[in-house]
Amino acid sequence: MGTSTAYGGPGGGTPLVPSWLGGEDAGTSPAAPAGPDGSPPADGVAPPAPANRPPIPATADPQRFSGARNSFSRFAGSGGSDRASLGRAVSRYVSTSAGGARQAAQRMGASRGAGARLLGFLADAQARGVREALRALDLESLAGRPINEILVGLADYVCPGAGTVDEGIAREAYIETIVELASEGLTDLTTFTPDQMHTVFELYATHAIEARICNDIGTKAITMPADAQAAHRVEQQLRDFIRGGVSDALTRARVESPNLMPQRIQSFVDAVYESTFAILKSLGDAEADQ
């Protein structure tokens, strides 16, 4: 579905939100060894208390992806004409597969971080100029380059790491966003307006959510139409559906936070993701009822 990170989908027995997603490990240095009978070491220094680690999340329902997969398979099999099945697939993904809008947003850990860094850079470039924003990241050599080259040069800053599926989704969404900029008429970073800045973020969040859904429900478990045009229509309709939700969520967030301060960018991005999934659930239900 337009992303190299696609795989067969999780088996269903994993937690809704993995314990490692979006948080740092709370570990400390290793404890000093105790005596053979469990007593303090000979030097009289008691070992440090065990680290406080988050509880292991409960195993989720192994069948929680089946409803979304079945509905999306029917949508794909229709060549994109069965909009009710598309709506049910997205609605079931949010409500059942992910466990609600908040849980769905939490699953976007790397993409939320990347989205905040991307939006933060664009806001800084608009406020202080592209050269100063790049200088702050020790990337001043990119100043004056075309926008796609600047953003490619920022890839490791925006999307550090690609060792997990979550990080791979974040990076792939970023690359697809760069590719799409020209078709949106976004070619000159030095003249960006606030609307254009938010359009870049809208594109990024759309690609990230699409990739997350496709990876979760398992594109390899879904039979796409053999006809290339029909397959493209299925993919484009899903993307447009998601982008509509992102656009609505972004519009609401901008009304609530018209002046985006640097220290509020991450909370702004988090709110957009959660609101997007809530809107997608509502839009999906509306499509399914038609």
Side-chain angles (χ1 to χ4, degrees):
M1 295 294 294
T3 172
S4 62
T5 59
Y7 75 122
T14 55
L16 286 172
V17 181
S19 60
W20 48 262
L21 189 62
E24 296 294 329
D25 184 55
T28 60
S29 57
D37 58 354
S39 61
D43 60 7
V45 179
N52 291 324
R53 299 184 182 276
I56 298 175
T59 301
D61 180 2
Q63 300 301 316
R64 71 184 191 273
F65 293 102
S66 60
R69 284 174 179 153
N70 292 339
S71 294
F72 196 85
S73 290
R74 285 192 288 273
F75 169 64
S78 75
S81 63
D82 187 356
R83 295 280 300 183
S85 288
L86 171 62
R88 278 190 289 270
V90 175
S91 175
R92 288 172 176 172
Y93 172 80
V94 177
S95 62
T96 304
S97 302
R102 176 164 295 188
Q103 294 269 42
Q106 288 178 348
R107 290 179 66 80
M108 306 292 300
S111 298
R112 286 187 287 115
R117 286 185 289 272
L118 174 59
L119 189 56
F121 169 77
L122 294 174
D124 191 26
Q126 187 179 48
R128 299 193 299 147
V130 176
R131 183 175 296 275
E132 289 302 315
L134 289 169
R135 179 179 290 135
L137 302 175
D138 293 325
L139 293 170
E140 188 180 0
S141 61
L142 293 173
R145 308 292 295 177
I147 186 173
N148 60 328
E149 293 185 25
I150 291 175
L151 293 183
V152 167
L154 285 167
D156 288 338
Y157 163 72
V158 174
C159 305
T164 67
V165 170
D166 188 49
E167 291 169 340
I169 285 172
R171 183 172 284 262
E172 185 68 18
Y174 183 68
I175 293 171
E176 291 190 356
T177 299
I178 295 172
V179 171
E180 198 169 351
L181 291 180
S183 65
E184 293 283 334
L186 303 170
T187 57
D188 188 354
L189 186 56
T190 63
T191 61
F192 259 29
T193 65
D195 286 345
Q196 289 175 315
M197 177 182 75
H198 283 93
T199 295
V200 176
F201 172 70
E202 180 182 308
L203 291 172
Y204 176 76
T206 297
H207 284 297
I209 291 172
E210 179 192 5
R212 177 80 269 175
I213 292 176
C214 289
N215 273 269
D216 278 351
I217 65 176
T219 53
K220 290 184 180 179
I222 295 170
T223 302
M224 293 292 288
D227 178 75
Q229 289 186 342
H232 176 73
R233 187 163 55 249
V234 167
E235 181 179 32
Q236 193 61 51
Q237 285 199 42
L238 173 62
R239 184 169 301 159
D240 290 345
F241 189 86
I242 293 170
R243 186 170 180 180
V246 175
S247 179
D248 288 349
L250 189 54
T251 297
R252 294 181 186 180
R254 292 180 67 182
V255 170
E256 295 172 2
S257 301
N259 299 315
L260 191 57
M261 305 301 292
Q263 63 271 23
R264 283 190 44 78
I265 288 178
Q266 184 65 66
S267 61
F268 176 88
V269 168
D270 292 346
V272 169
Y273 273 100
E274 183 173 342
S275 179
T276 295
F277 280 110
I279 291 170
L280 289 176
K281 168 69 167 61
S282 297
L283 293 175
D285 289 340
E287 286 282 0
D289 290 341
Q290 291 182 5

